[in-house]
Amino acid sequence: FAIGVLALGGVALHWQRQELRMQQQLAVEEAHRRCEVDLERASRAATLGTLAMGITHELSTPLGIIAARAEQLRTRLSADERAAHGMQVIQDQAARMEQVIRGILALVRDQPPIANRLSPIDVCHGAMSLVRHRFAETGATLRLNAEGNASRRLLRGDQRLLEQALVNLLLNACDACASGGHVTLHVQCKDGQVHFRVSDDGVGISAAAAARAMEPFFTTKPAGKGTGLGLAVTHEIVKSHRGTLRIGPLPEGGTCAEIVLPQA
């Protein structure tokens, strides 16, 4: 009887050791897999940086030409108020593009962003003014929901870059909505932080896609509709301002993207 008990104990110990070895092997394989994922993400981030440097360098020259020609035309068309206004809009937008390009280049070079004192409401209005034409084209509605204290709080940062971060979120929300859909930009200040939330009632995003949404070149849009860089750039802008970006599905359907930044 004693021999049988010892034999059974030996068998049990053997299988416990086998199970432990398998668990250790699985843990090692999982660690290797995570390292491979991290390396791939780092490679994509490096690619994004190189791509941004190349694109911004190539855009600088034609952008300068556009601004110069617009100035020449504005002078010649000064008698035509409407045409002169149109040329001024072109110049203003060219100047904005140049500022955004410089800001992105600074991010790629790991330089801190400009730290101006900004109104969260002004950042919201600036971003919304840049996307209204897109919402008009698609038939979706866009509204701002600002809590009372948001107009009395400030944050520090580069306004053009923060506007661009919100623009990317608003355009994604617009693209997710059908005609007649609704997008809300909600801004709130609490606990020493500024919260910008963009929510929509569109098709929504899966948890798996949300987990990868900020990876460079990852997109759920059809071919030709998205590059997979908008959220990656937004993420870098937010990180450079010591903030966080979260994206996920809403329980009632649709998607919510939230930027959280420290107050000034």
Side-chain angles (χ1 to χ4, degrees):
F1 179 76
I3 293 174
V5 171
L6 288 174
L8 287 173
V11 171
L13 182 61
H14 170 74
W15 283 111
Q16 285 179 350
R17 288 175 176 171
Q18 287 289 96
E19 185 178 358
L20 181 61
R21 289 194 190 99
M22 291 179 64
Q23 289 176 349
Q24 290 174 337
Q25 184 177 356
L26 288 173
V28 170
E29 290 176 356
E30 177 65 17
H32 281 306
R33 189 188 68 79
R34 289 177 181 171
C35 286
E36 290 296 328
V37 170
D38 290 341
L39 284 172
E40 183 180 357
R41 287 177 178 170
S43 176
R44 285 174 176 266
T47 302
L48 175 62
T50 304
L51 184 63
M53 290 283 282
I55 290 174
T56 51
H57 176 74
E58 294 299 325
L59 286 179
S60 295
T61 299
L63 195 58
I65 294 173
I66 290 171
R69 293 297 174 89
E71 173 62 25
Q72 292 174 1
L73 289 173
R74 189 169 68 90
T75 302
R76 294 178 184 176
L77 299 172
S78 57
D80 187 335
E81 185 177 345
R82 184 175 180 182
H85 174 72
M87 291 299 104
Q88 184 61 53
V89 170
I90 292 174
Q91 284 186 289
D92 292 343
Q93 292 305 309
R96 174 187 167 77
M97 289 174 64
E98 184 180 6
Q99 291 173 345
V100 171
I101 285 172
R102 288 179 179 177
I104 293 176
L105 274 176
L107 291 182
V108 173
R109 293 167 178 162
D110 204 23
Q111 297 172 355
I114 298 170
N116 293 328
R117 293 171 70 86
L118 308 174
S119 162
I121 302 297
D122 289 345
V123 175
C124 290
H125 283 307
M128 293 174 69
S129 68
L130 294 169
V131 299
R132 287 199 185 279
H133 70 285
R134 185 76 165 269
F135 277 81
E137 291 172 359
T138 60
T141 60
L142 172 61
R143 70 185 184 97
L144 174 64
N145 182 5
E147 293 202 358
N149 64 345
S151 61
R152 300 189 300 272
R153 297 292 188 267
L154 296 173
L155 56 86
R156 285 191 178 277
D158 185 323
Q159 181 157 348
R160 298 303 184 192
L161 285 181
L162 291 177
E163 286 177 358
Q164 188 61 45
L166 284 181
V167 163
N168 291 339
L169 299 185
L170 291 171
L171 290 179
N172 280 347
C174 180
D175 290 343
C177 289
S179 180
H182 301 84
V183 176
T184 301
L185 172 54
H186 182 92
V187 58
Q188 178 186 30
C189 298
K190 63 178 182 179
D191 302 326
Q193 295 177 317
V194 181
H195 297 251
F196 299 96
R197 286 196 302 275
V198 176
S199 58
D200 64 69
D201 57 4
V203 295
I205 187 172
S206 67
R212 298 187 58 197
M214 287 171 271
E215 293 180 13
F217 308 112
F218 175 80
T219 181
T220 58
K221 296 179 182 180
K225 294 292 186 180
T227 61
L229 293 176
L231 286 177
V233 171
T234 298
H235 186 221
E236 291 302 318
I237 291 173
V238 173
K239 278 202 309 181
S240 72
H241 285 79
R242 299 183 296 116
T244 57
L245 172 63
R246 295 189 287 263
I247 299 172
L250 291 169
E252 64 274 19
T255 304
C256 179
E258 182 178 36
I259 292 173
V260 182
L261 300 171
Q263 287 185 25

